[in-house]
Amino acid sequence: MTLVAKILHSKPDPTVHTIAPTASVFDALKRMAEKGIGALLVTEHDAIVGILTERDYSRKIVLMGRTSAATLVRDAMTTPVMFVRSSQTSEQCMQLMTTNRVRHLPVVDDGKLVGMVSIGDLVKNIISEQKFIIEQLENYITGAPGP
């Protein structure tokens, strides 16, 4: 079982991108596109007040006939925000994501934002773990020395 802390350390860019609730959804979408990400944490005075995802945009802007330029982030964000701690496991994160149908989980330790894990981060970790296990089993079967 991999801890969230290890997953955060393995990320090439650990930056958590945020936006203010008073920003326009258009500005949020622009930032997501520039950064190649699917969600922004919404923060106010260093407190997490929501999360804005591509799913929020499609369901709360497009399908409701709103425009992203005229809608504030606070009117489209999801709240409350589910989060995990760095001491939790990847399996616990997958369970939370699956049960609650979310793709991003902020990581908060002692009330402080320390990172964000996405479904992609977790899948990458699972594939890496499985590859390692397969290599170990192959080495065991063939009698080859391990790493």
Side-chain angles (χ1 to χ4, degrees), residues 105-137:
L105 291 170
V107 182
V108 177
D109 285 335
D110 299 322
K112 182 181 177 203
L113 177 65
V114 296
M116 173 101 83
V117 290
S118 70
I119 191 74
D121 297 329
L122 296 175
V123 168
K124 181 179 175 185
N125 174 258
I126 289 168
I127 290 170
S128 176
E129 284 180 345
Q130 289 177 346
K131 182 178 175 187
F132 177 76
I133 290 168
I134 289 168
E135 287 172 357
Q136 293 300 305
L137 289 171

Side-chain angles (χ1 to χ4, degrees), residues 44-57:
E44 193 168 43
H45 308 294
D46 294 327
I48 299 169
V49 296
I51 188 168
L52 184 73
T53 67
E54 293 167 330
R55 183 181 288 171
D56 290 323
Y57 170 71

Side-chain angles (χ1 to χ4, degrees), residues 55-120:
R55 183 181 288 171
D56 290 323
Y57 170 71
S58 65
R59 293 180 180 179
K60 297 175 185 173
I61 304 298
V62 176
L63 291 177
M64 303 285 284
R66 297 173 165 175
T67 64
S68 58
T71 306
L72 297 180
V73 167
R74 80 165 124 238
D75 298 324
M77 68 185 188
T78 295
T79 187
V81 179
M82 296 175 44
F83 66 91
V84 294
R85 292 182 235 344
S86 61
S87 60
Q88 288 182 260
T89 65
S90 57
E91 287 83 0
Q92 290 171 317
C93 292
M94 290 292 281
Q95 180 64 42
L96 268 174
M97 288 179 168
T98 302
T99 301
N100 297 285
R101 302 183 55 79
V102 297
R103 297 177 184 183
H104 301 86
L105 291 170
V107 182
V108 177
D109 285 335
D110 299 322
K112 182 181 177 203
L113 177 65
V114 296
M116 173 101 83
V117 290
S118 70
I119 191 74

